[in-house]
Amino acid sequence: MKIDAIQADITTLEVDAIVNAANRSLMGGGGVDGAIHRAAGYELKEACRTLGGCETGDAKLTEGFKLPARYVIHAVGPVWNGGHRGEAEKLAGCYRRALELADSVSARSIAFPSISTGIYRFPIERAAEIAVKTVEETLPSTGIDAVTFCCFSEGDLAVFDALLKR
Ligand code: ADP
């Protein structure tokens, strides 16, 4: 069981599943969502259209189409609203559900972006702590053996590295 953090564009990773930081419509957006849709091609949007959206804190699975990853798991993180509106529990739900879905298709490797910490403004230190804790707790009940936190910035990578080296 391996958990690590790297700085990369998640659309380039050769893993079984990548996670998308999607919105409730699942019809594409900015940030990592836009990058994933561009790289996967129009078929991803067609696949997402059939899913009927997704609740905050939950996730849904599609194929990866033109991506090197076989699957995309679309997780909907919470918008940060000060921290008293269930944001932490909803963010944990994204990581838990994504791992469960990956396991349900026998994925062995998965990469996560830093969900909710871009346009949704969740503070990176708190979000990373929830991400690492939830993955550490959930992983043993799955068959997944490699988890990568794929950071876009050097600053985010430093935050995840510090937590993983504790
Ligand atoms: P959210 O709306 O959940 O906050 P964003 O896409 O705005 O989602 O941001 C989530 C994180 O994904 C941010 O840290 C952002 O810098 C990062 N990000 C943006 N593009 C990519 C990419 N191609 N690969 C990995 N991470 C990315």
Side-chain angles (χ1 to χ4, degrees), residues 8-10 21 30-33 35 113-120 150 152 156:
D9 174 351
I10 201 164
V32 71
D33 196 5
S114 179
I115 300 169
S116 281
T117 67
I119 298 160
Y120 284 1
C150 179
F152 208 45
D156 288 356

Side-chain angles (χ1 to χ4, degrees), residues 82-166:
H84 300 290
R85 298 198 180 175
E87 292 95 328
E89 188 41 51
K90 285 173 188 156
L91 186 64
C94 289
Y95 286 92
R96 205 178 302 122
R97 285 291 297 140
L99 291 170
E100 287 168 2
L101 281 173
D103 193 44
S104 75
V105 292
S106 304
R108 305 293 296 272
S109 56
I110 183 170
F112 287 94
S114 179
I115 300 169
S116 281
T117 67
I119 298 160
Y120 284 1
R121 306 183 313 272
F122 204 119
I124 181 65
E125 285 82 4
R126 289 195 211 191
E129 218 170 285
I130 291 164
V132 171
K133 181 166 176 275
T134 308
V135 167
E136 285 174 348
E137 283 172 0
T138 313
L139 208 54
S141 56
T142 72
I144 299 165
D145 42 37
V147 177
T148 303
F149 291 109
C150 179
C151 301
F152 208 45
S153 73
E154 211 173 309
D156 288 356
L157 177 61
V159 172
F160 274 92
D161 267 344
L163 287 167
L164 292 172
K165 281 174 190 144
R166 238 171 351 192

